[in-house]
Amino acid sequence: MPVTYRREGPVAYVELDNPPVNAIGLDIRQGLMDALDWIAGKPHLDRVILSGKGRAFAAGADAREFDAPPVAPHLPDVIRRMEQSDVPWIAAVDGVALGGGCELVLGCQYRIAAPGALIGMPEVTLGVIPGAGGTQRLPRLVGLEDALQMISTGKPVKAAQALELGLIQDVADDVIFAAQEVNAELLTTLPALADLPGPEANEGAVSAARATADQKTASQIAPQCAIDLVAQSSSVDFEDAMQQERATFLALRQGDQARALRHVFFAERAAKAPGWLRDAAAPDPTHVAVVGGGTMGAGIAYALLNAGLRVTVLETSAEGVARAQDNVEKIISASLKRGLINEAKAQDRRAHLVCTHDYTLAADAELAIEAAFESMAVKKEIFTKLQAVMAPDAVLATNTSYLDVDEIAAVLNDPTRMVGLHFFAPAHIMKLLEIVRGQATSDRALALGFALAKRLRKVPVLAGVCDGFIGNRILARYREAADSLLLEGALPHQVDAAMRGFGYAMGPYEAQDLSGLDIAFANRRRQDASRDPAQHYVAIADHLVDAGRLGRKTGAGWYDYTDRQAVDSEVTRIIETESATAGVTRRALEEGEIAHTLVLAMINEAANILQEGIAQSARDIDLVTVFGYGFPRWRGGLLHYADTQGAQAMQEGLEALAQHDPLVWEPSPLIRTCATQGARIAGFSHD
């Protein structure tokens, strides 16, 4: 039974039981209505204690229902009946109470939470707004400013903060016992939140919330809708506002943004080891070696320390060891300053870390992750040294971003132990982990990669071997197409503005200046020997590097950073000179054309990657582009977005571009197939 209820003396107990997180679907809503009918026929009750079985009170609505028409009973009606019941309800919250779960809490007259409870309304992160009274009850309870903060950002609060806000009345280790002990007479005096007057108007708080939404969730509809509704709680009648809230919720949940955000939500939940690895026995490492203590290696080391693992960072010299120690310590100190860990946890991480140039100290590590300079010779040397000291069944992983995993594995006596674990910087923060399967990679090594991703709370995506794997191969094509637009008539700030307008936090040239132009330059030099001579090569970025313009770290790159980021006339001159040398007559390009061209380039490359089996599914490519490369989450990922446009439109756009450069713009066979069949790219999978 998704909802169980029983009576013990004057107390009725109603428990949500819909594993794993008590998602509020039709069965839960109907079960609560049945419980209300049952309670109405029971005399001499002085309270109803509402709780959730397992690790959650209720983690929100069942989003799987959002693609279908709503079916009664509806949650707003359930909560209104709770409020109007002759018997007062007490919420006993242990675990999470999110979305509709939080709205159920607000429908109770008394609210208690366990110390570890998390309460909030994250609906805007799924492209909707609270749809069962949250925008009206919460501001009546905690005030307009705090309600705006919680609802428009979607950030939940812990029990202690909820108590401070007045969202709950008590924090208790045993929430059921605490609910039993609440004074019965007190309960009869507590009004339903729907019956309270609206909060005092606060235009300053509303304006501040709008500014924050404009900055952090630009182009997204739901946060601004939520702000509108919360603001109305101070001036609009409760029942009228409820009707507006419900209408807004139903309209948003059928919109493109909500569908896209649901797609990412379910894709992330589905990101796990493929079924064919189910029987592979993955080792459970307790000690991991990380080779290289630079920015990436230190981030990987800290992520491992956060997961409770013992970590040995290997360097080549005493100076390198000191630098590695300092790099990890900087992350520990930053985490302390931000309140992410306390001093005891900081000391624990220090105690589990060893930085050394003695490889024999990694002899008992079950896994080694190489995070050294992108040089094939360097990596081969490292793995030769690792296999000499580590156990023959230890898994060896490379964090290479581009290099051939199979060539690296060839130096091993047993190449089956090699797997690619491509982390993204900063590695202790970024959630994506590309797990690269080489030609010889064993199921055991792959299974360890997926198990490690789960332990580190990363989003794992299986990738095959090619230059750049999934993400960096798409990124390289994106940059090539952007450089071609510079040659044709655009300038860096116009390209960046176009991609910010599409939804990226940064454009390609801003991002290059941040990471350093020398990194991409080195990669282009590595590719010189294999580049198709028929492909036109745009050398603008090379001229910047030759001039010492490496980005922010040198004070100049695509932009000038003397004071703040500014358009640089010298860069404009270099671009215009290159256009003239290539015999190109420059033309004005609108932002819409720029964004459309660059997104088409990425979609076409992604379709080829999927067709070739480098990626297993369109869903995986969506995860890579959202979690690793800044593709706007509210567009659902690269190939989800492609499907919203349609394969026919993609093909026509690519064919138009191919008239000028057929080599790089030839539509992917997968796009042609989908256009012919009227199929979605998402339907193609190697799973």
Side-chain angles (χ1 to χ4, degrees), residues 16 29 188 345 498 599 610:
L16 309 179
R29 300 195 303 273
T188 63
K345 290 182 178 178
V599 173
L610 182 56

Side-chain angles (χ1 to χ4, degrees), residues 172-324:
D173 291 321
D174 187 337
V175 290
I176 300 296
F177 177 77
Q180 294 167 344
E181 293 297 302
V182 177
N183 183 277
E185 290 185 13
L186 171 64
L187 288 175
T188 63
T189 68
L190 298 174
L193 296 181
D195 298 332
L196 293 177
E200 184 178 343
N202 187 336
E203 276 304 315
V206 173
S207 297
R210 292 199 191 284
T212 299
D214 282 339
Q215 179 185 12
K216 296 188 176 180
T217 53
S219 302
Q220 295 189 45
I221 302 169
Q224 295 291 356
C225 288
I227 293 168
D228 290 341
L229 288 160
V230 174
Q232 287 182 9
S233 66
S234 63
S235 58
V236 178
D237 174 76
F238 180 84
E239 295 299 340
D240 290 343
M242 283 290 291
Q243 291 181 22
Q244 291 184 45
E245 180 196 78
R246 186 66 178 172
T248 303
F249 168 76
L250 292 175
L252 286 174
R253 83 174 195 170
Q254 293 303 311
D256 289 343
Q257 290 191 7
R259 291 182 186 277
L261 289 163
R262 287 200 297 276
H263 169 71
V264 176
F265 173 77
F266 286 117
E268 182 179 0
R269 288 180 63 182
K272 58 186 69 173
W276 47 268
L277 275 179
R278 190 175 295 114
D279 297 328
D284 185 16
T286 58
H287 179 197
V288 180
V290 177
V291 185
T295 301
M296 177 61 78
I300 293 172
Y302 188 73
L304 296 166
L305 292 168
N306 276 347
L309 296 166
R310 185 161 59 92
V311 178
T312 298
V313 177
L314 300 172
E315 266 291 351
T316 56
S317 65
E319 293 79 7
V321 169
R323 185 170 56 251

Side-chain angles (χ1 to χ4, degrees), residues 282-292 300-301 303-305 307 309-314 352 354 359-371 382-383 386-387 389-399 412 416-423 433-436 441-456 458:
D284 185 16
T286 58
H287 179 197
V288 180
V290 177
V291 185
I300 293 172
L304 296 166
L305 292 168
L309 296 166
R310 185 161 59 92
V311 178
T312 298
V313 177
L314 300 172
H352 284 83
V354 171
Y359 271 61
T360 63
L361 294 184
D364 66 339
E366 300 93 345
L367 168 68
I369 303 172
E370 168 272 314
I382 286 169
F383 283 105
L386 285 172
Q387 78 168 350
V389 299
M390 295 181 69
D393 62 346
V395 173
L396 305 179
T398 175
N399 178 60
L412 300 176
T416 67
R417 65 198 294 199
M418 169 69 72
V419 65
L421 294 179
H422 181 209
F423 290 80
L433 179 63
E434 279 185 320
I435 299 175
V436 185
T441 303
S442 68
D443 287 357
R444 178 176 180 273
L446 283 175
L448 183 145
F450 279 97
L452 183 67
K454 182 176 181 180
R455 186 161 182 176
L456 300 183
K458 302 288 187 186

